[in-house]
Amino acid sequence: MENPIFHWRLFAAAFLCCGLAAGIVIGWQHRTVDAPVPTLASASNRLDSRSCAECHADIVDRFQRAPHRRTLRPATVPELQALFANRELDSDLGRFQFFSDNQQLRLTTERLPQAISVDWIFGSGQHALTPVAVWKNLAGQIESSQLHVSWYKGDRLGLTPGSEAADRDPASLGIVHDPHQTADCFGCHATYLPSDDGRIDLGQMVAGVSCARCHPGASQHVASAGETATLTDWPALSPLESVRRCGECHRRDDQMTADEVTVEAADRLARFASVGLVQSRCFTQQSVLSQSGARLDCITCHDPHSPARTDPAFYNKTCTACHDPSHHPIAACNVMPNDSDCISCHMPKASTVQHLWFTDHWIRRPKANRSDHSTSPGPAQPQ
């Protein structure tokens, strides 16, 4: 993977305070947790999803349009290059320019004599797309740089989250991640990520999230013609287990400290839906829901095999299915009629990063109506 800008990248890495920069851009550091799933290096994760289509054709067909499927792609993809090539951004960090050179996307700035090659694009495009450059260090491990310029929904360029507060050394075109951080980044955006003594192999990687990532053991399931079940029985998971499985990439509540999960930080937590959801009284009162056979987890509202619905009426209907005293022991809203727009009040959009808006999944009273005890912050208890 050595290339003409390898030595420049080492130079850039030497001038960046990697630990501080990574903390800024990630915002919330991952903490190691025990996950009851096979390693991403498991050969069974190489399963081609077309094998699943023999029995699950409709699901596989819908999944091809789901954001998970395209959350990591090579920068050589023409449709992605078209979003960046021949465009520039003037920012507090300087002027950045993208251009395409023999199908290789590159980023440059007037502060540096040499451009950096873009190797991968992270993100589905539902919110943003972030270019990333990779290289091997002297130990043969993959390191990466999350470049300072991202594409945002609405077809505009802007600084990548974290870059506005990053090291402003002129040798920097992005925030450098060490091998461990790089493996974490690719690990959440891939289905199969082989590794040899800590050295990930991007050449053999299966990019994007496909069937085997959420259904470990899928290859054995296919080989046995369905006789052998996959290792995760999603319907059998408790609500908390289910949310934390999604949270392996969308962030788990037990990966954060009590100081990070507070009412005061709730707006910032909107970026991590799985963390906010388990703080909600709607979630913590699962015992009340279960009295009528209901439950609340991520897949109550979101089909993981399809793009997320965008019509508020669909989500409002999910709310009122429980908040209907005629058949549920859960109080209806005492402020607005039951057929009102629940989502806009109790799950408003929040923006803590320029150009990005997220639905706040910490379901609670509107701020104007909130009392000090209207939410239940802190780690979720096992359900």
Side-chain angles (χ1 to χ4, degrees), residues 107-239:
L107 174 64
T108 189
T109 177
E110 71 275 8
R111 302 174 303 172
L112 293 172
Q114 196 167 19
I116 190 171
S117 297
V118 179
D119 300 302
W120 295 93
I121 303 292
F122 279 68
S124 66
Q126 291 291 105
H127 294 288
L129 297 167
T130 296
V132 169
V134 299
W135 63 91
K136 283 184 178 179
N137 63 20
L138 295 178
Q141 301 166 309
I142 301 294
E143 296 184 354
S144 62
S145 179
Q146 180 176 273
L147 302 183
H148 285 320
V149 184
S150 290
W151 176 94
Y152 291 94
K153 188 175 182 179
D155 195 27
R156 53 189 171 187
L157 299 183
L159 288 178
T160 301
S163 287
E164 67 280 352
D167 192 312
R168 300 193 176 208
D169 189 279
S172 169
L173 278 177
I175 297 176
V176 174
H177 294 319
D178 66 25
H180 176 74
Q181 294 164 335
T182 297
D184 277 351
C185 291
F186 278 93
C188 274
H189 290 258
T191 296
Y192 174 60
L193 188 65
S195 176
D196 179 14
D197 194 25
R199 296 174 176 83
I200 59 175
D201 184 353
L202 298 183
Q204 298 298 316
M205 174 181 65
V206 176
V209 175
S210 59
C211 304
R213 180 60 193 270
C214 298
H215 300 283
S219 60
Q220 294 89 335
H221 177 73
V222 170
S224 67
E227 292 295 322
T228 300
T230 57
L231 299 182
T232 299
D233 182 2
W234 280 88
L237 296 177
S238 72

Side-chain angles (χ1 to χ4, degrees), residues 286-364:
Q286 296 283 348
S287 59
V288 178
L289 293 177
S290 64
Q291 293 178 28
S292 54
R295 63 181 271 157
L296 177 63
D297 60 9
C298 302
I299 59 179
T300 299
C301 296
H302 301 296
D303 178 357
H305 304 111
S306 302
R309 299 281 293 265
T310 58
D311 49 321
F314 169 79
Y315 299 105
N316 291 331
K317 185 177 180 180
T318 304
C319 296
T320 55
C322 288
H323 291 276
D324 182 352
S326 65
H327 64 278
H328 260 290
I330 300 175
C333 180
N334 60 6
V335 177
M336 300 292 290
N338 219 36
D339 58 356
S340 301
D341 184 2
C342 312
I343 301 301
S344 64
C345 281
H346 299 281
M347 300 180 69
K349 297 281 187 180
S351 177
T352 57
V353 179
Q354 188 178 21
H355 308 310
L356 290 178
W357 289 84
F358 298 96
T359 297
D360 185 354
H361 282 68
W362 190 335
I363 307 167
R364 57 200 192 282

Side-chain angles (χ1 to χ4, degrees), residues 10-48:
L10 287 180
F11 174 74
F15 278 85
L16 275 171
C17 179
C18 299
L20 174 61
I24 292 171
V25 71
I26 294 173
W28 304 91
Q29 286 283 34
H30 276 284
R31 292 173 177 80
T32 301
V33 294
D34 294 326
V37 295
T39 172
L40 279 171
S42 171
S44 64
N45 280 32
R46 300 185 67 179
L47 176 73
D48 190 324

Side-chain angles (χ1 to χ4, degrees), residues 55-74:
C55 296
H56 308 286
D58 177 61
I59 291 176
V60 172
D61 179 63
R62 284 188 285 117
F63 189 63
Q64 301 311 306
R65 300 185 293 276
H68 286 104
R69 193 71 185 88
R70 59 177 189 272
T71 192
L72 175 61
R73 289 170 286 178

